[in-house]
Amino acid sequence: MAASVPIVAACGGVGVVRVYDLPMPSRHRHTIRTCRIGTVDYAETATLQRSLRAAREAGAIEDVLLVLEHEPVITCGPRTQAHEVAYARSTDIPVVAVERGGGATYHGPRQVVMYPIFDLAIADDDVKELVWRLEEAMIVALEAHGVTSERRNGYPGVWVDADLPSARKIASLGLRLTRGVTFHGLAVNVACDLTPFTWFTPCGIPDAVMTSVARELGMEDASPELLDVLVRSVSERIERELLSQFDSDAQNVGVDDLRLVAMRHHVDDPDLALPGEPRHRGATRIDLHAVGAPTA
């Protein structure tokens, strides 16, 4: 019989304590707890990730895979330069700084996002092996949907026609590894709006052209219902391939259960600043004209 881990949470501020028992997976085969959240705010999910990473480090939970979509947002990794996102910051889409690797990218509805909160032991303590397996899961899943993709030498993520002048990026990968545990993760453009990618320099690559599964298959004008089916299908196949890559079984877990775990391992959000701003909260926004941003 599987063991259980007591999760204790204070309720209502009235001194009542409830104990939640989360079943631990079998020790005979590695299990990844999979949580399908739906479409959620980016900042909220980043906060949850940080606490779950701390919980994984403490051994309070097993490896977790968050599967979701985001409300429209542009995120800036530490390599992002001010001029790369200057125009994006004049739009209505939020632009936020994050601690993951890489430059700027866009997240939005109908883009499949997965955040592996894994102990690096799942990939034999080898970061390159971990990245290779994550990329391979995306490549195999895309091939199953009629889109041939591959790695591009010197560039992260997954590309279509990677060796040709017409190379197009279809999936991004940006991780953070802290004390042997990963968070942040991968994003696959399935049927998302690609327009926001033209408002900044994607991943710091000036000539990067972004694409999607729907665009490659000529389905951009398909009905919303059909596009939703495509998103679910791609998401399920990537999840299946990830489990295969890490020789693991899935165990579904609810987001409320994970939030209870996060409560016990609270981590303050880092004091991050957007490129071009001083590193403190409430910093003044950069002057768009000073960096040559379009004024239209």
Side-chain angles (χ1 to χ4, degrees), residues 50 74-82 85 89 95-100 102-104 176 269-286:
R50 292 170 187 129
I74 293 169
T75 64
C76 302
R79 295 183 182 179
T80 307
Q81 302 297 310
V85 291
R89 297 187 64 190
V95 181
V96 301
V98 295
E99 69 271 48
R100 58 147 174 82
R176 172 82 175 198
D269 291 340
D271 192 9
L272 300 171
L274 290 170
E277 292 183 343
R279 192 183 179 92
H280 63 78
R281 299 188 188 280
T284 303
R285 294 173 68 89
I286 59 173

Side-chain angles (χ1 to χ4, degrees), residues 5-276:
V5 176
I7 306 298
V8 182
C11 301
V14 294
V16 178
V17 174
R18 294 177 183 171
V19 177
Y20 298 81
D21 285 330
L22 296 182
M24 294 290 285
S26 168
R27 296 181 183 277
H28 299 297
R29 179 177 166 86
H30 189 75
T31 300
I32 294 174
R33 294 186 173 218
T34 302
C35 181
R36 301 174 189 89
I37 305 179
T39 302
V40 290
D41 174 73
Y42 181 84
E44 176 186 345
T45 311
T47 297
L48 176 65
Q49 282 189 75
R50 292 170 187 129
S51 292
L52 291 178
R53 190 220 62 79
R56 183 68 187 94
E57 180 193 348
I61 56 173
E62 299 296 324
D63 292 325
V64 172
L65 179 67
L66 304 181
V67 181
L68 51 99
E69 297 174 42
H70 278 307
E71 300 290 352
V73 64
I74 293 169
T75 64
C76 302
R79 295 183 182 179
T80 307
Q81 302 297 310
H83 69 273
E84 294 175 348
V85 291
Y87 179 69
R89 297 187 64 190
S90 70
T91 72
D92 292 333
I93 293 183
V95 181
V96 301
V98 295
E99 69 271 48
R100 58 147 174 82
T105 195
Y106 165 75
H107 297 304
R110 295 199 178 107
Q111 179 194 65
V112 172
V113 176
M114 296 189 183
Y115 294 131
I117 302 169
F118 292 172
D119 188 298
L120 192 56
I122 199 172
D124 301 321
D125 296 313
D126 187 332
V127 174
K128 291 183 179 180
E129 178 67 17
L130 174 75
V131 170
W132 191 92
R133 294 188 196 184
L134 294 175
E135 290 175 338
E136 189 68 11
M138 293 187 283
I139 290 169
V140 174
L142 290 171
E143 184 69 36
H145 286 82
V147 178
T148 299
S149 61
E150 55 193 317
R151 299 169 185 82
R152 186 182 182 191
N153 188 34
Y155 297 90
V158 176
W159 298 71
V160 177
D161 293 336
D163 296 329
L164 300 179
S166 59
R168 304 173 299 285
K169 191 170 188 179
I170 196 168
S172 301
L173 184 64
L175 297 170
R176 172 82 175 198
L177 178 67
T178 303
R179 298 188 180 95
V181 179
T182 67
F183 61 123
H184 294 293
L186 58 90
V188 181
N189 302 331
V190 181
C192 56
D193 181 7
L194 297 173
T195 303
F197 283 108
T198 67
W199 299 343
F200 61 95
T201 305
C203 308
I205 307 171
D207 59 348
V209 175
M210 305 300 291
T211 191
S212 66
V213 176
R215 176 166 291 183
E216 294 300 317
L217 297 179
M219 293 178 59
E220 287 185 293
D221 294 328
S223 68
E225 294 77 14
L226 184 57
L227 293 177
D228 287 341
V229 170
L230 179 64
V231 171
R232 286 196 300 273
S233 179
V234 173
S235 179
E236 291 170 0
R237 188 57 185 259
I238 295 172
E239 184 181 329
R240 189 190 320 166
E241 295 302 331
L242 277 174
L243 293 170
S244 176
Q245 286 295 322
F246 295 105
D247 192 25
S248 300
D249 294 322
Q251 182 184 72
N252 294 332
V253 60
V255 67
D256 289 338
D257 291 329
L258 292 181
R259 285 172 178 150
L260 288 171
V261 175
M263 285 172 56
R264 299 192 64 201
H265 296 83
H266 175 73
V267 174
D268 290 332
D269 291 340
D271 192 9
L272 300 171
L274 290 170

